[in-house]
Amino acid sequence: MSNTCGTPTTRRALPRGLAAVGALLLSATTAAVLPPTAAAAAERDTVTTHSGATTAQERGRIDAYWTPDRMRLAGALIPEITPVPADDDTPDDPRPLPADTPDPGAVWTHGGAVERSVGRLFFTFSDGYDGSCTATVVNSANRSTVVTAAHCLRGVGAAATDDTWNHNLYFVPGYRNGTKPLGGFSIRAAATSSRWDADPSGTRSEDVAVAGYDTGVLVANRSADGRRIADVTGSQRIGFAPPAEAEFVHAFGYPKDRLNDPDGRYTGSRMIHCAGPAGPGPKAPLLWGGACDMSHGASGGPHVARFDPATGTGTVVGVTTTTDDVAGGPAGTLYATRFGDSAHRLYDWAQARTS
């Protein structure tokens, strides 16, 4: 069962990896977030990188690992006994959604470029449990750059410690009901802000996130037939300008739970859409969000400004980080880390990599 914020509750202890992600997007009992220390604030924000699948053997192993059922069960608290989720057969609606239509959360049925450039990001925690987030292909010089949340890639700790990072990273654009409609892409390299290198005994993931450093970038390997990912999926624009109060933003993600309906369930089978005006979190003013019926699994999903529902294109201005449990505001609010100078550094690093 779950509480109203979608946190799985069970007599079995939450695996360490799931707890790390849950601290940002799931916990209904999160303590008040502490501001960054003066020492941390004085440190220069740099790019911390991690190597992924660089050999054909490793790429093949990861591709084979993510079977349909393994993808469907990613994020399950006890996958050994969790039933495989049923497919979501909500009918498609090719008619464009009217522009700037508020949406607190519904299956995206309108197609367009967003259905190809956004997908589900899979990974394995250091404790062996599988999880998933959401990610987006964005315009870049190498046509291989993908953006997500930093907490989907790693926990707080020394970057040289391998179990700080998640493993088996695998991006499935257009994911739907356990299928890979555009193929699956292993990850060649990943990066986060150096703020995630902090000592976990004195810094939590929440501390880094509310300070505005929950952006992660990925460099995707080429497809099985040698194409760069953006040549397969297309890409969304990316922007780094400061947010404007009440800016109308569309959010997309693959949540495993709902926020506003404790009796309802998302299972990660289809992409979910929310839309409405965004504003800063009362307890975390660097995070911006609006009303949205998504919880865990939606992390890393794009918050898109100037979105055209007729084409499914817009400008990604941030990625889903947390809910009102951490950032405050009305119940059922989903917040994003907005892109600024730190995200721009990560993006510049990623688009300069070869794939």
Side-chain angles (χ1 to χ4, degrees), residues 92-287:
D92 289 328
D93 182 358
R95 295 172 299 177
L97 188 71
D100 292 348
T101 301
D103 183 358
V107 175
W108 179 255
T109 60
H110 302 285
V114 69
E115 197 166 75
R116 298 172 60 87
S117 54
V118 177
R120 205 168 165 194
L121 176 67
F122 297 95
F123 46 81
T124 303
F125 295 108
S126 61
D127 57 18
Y129 282 77
D130 295 326
S132 74
C133 282
T134 305
T136 310
V137 183
V138 293
N139 293 350
S140 61
N142 65 356
R143 302 191 63 75
S144 302
T145 298
V146 179
V147 295
T148 188
H151 76 263
C152 296
L153 305 182
R154 62 179 297 203
V156 173
T161 304
D162 196 46
D163 66 3
T164 296
W165 295 84
N166 297 333
H167 306 282
N168 295 328
L169 288 165
Y170 192 65
F171 179 58
V172 180
Y175 176 89
R176 182 165 175 161
N177 291 331
T179 67
K180 309 174 185 179
L182 301 172
F185 294 80
S186 59
I187 301 304
R188 187 173 188 83
T192 69
S193 164
S194 58
R195 296 298 175 92
W196 289 84
D197 304 347
D199 182 349
S201 67
T203 304
R204 302 170 300 167
S205 295
E206 296 100 307
D207 299 331
V208 184
V210 300
Y213 298 102
D214 196 27
T215 303
V217 294
L218 304 165
V219 180
N221 281 311
R222 297 192 183 209
S223 66
D225 60 0
R227 292 189 293 167
R228 293 181 175 88
I229 189 169
D231 296 327
V232 176
T233 65
S235 56
Q236 297 289 334
R237 300 186 300 273
I238 186 169
F240 304 94
E245 186 70 41
E247 181 179 34
F248 199 91
V249 172
H250 295 251
F252 297 88
Y254 283 87
K256 297 284 288 186
D257 274 305
R258 305 179 78 153
L259 286 173
N260 303 325
D261 181 1
D263 297 320
R265 289 290 177 271
Y266 292 137
T267 62
S269 299
R270 295 281 294 276
M271 186 167 71
I272 306 303
H273 166 257
C274 298
K283 294 193 294 184
L286 294 180
L287 305 181

Side-chain angles (χ1 to χ4, degrees), residues 136 147 215 238-239 300-305 315-320 336-339:
T136 310
V147 295
T215 303
I238 186 169
H303 287 229
V304 186
T315 301
V316 181
V317 294
V319 290
T320 292
T337 294
R338 293 287 295 231
F339 295 155

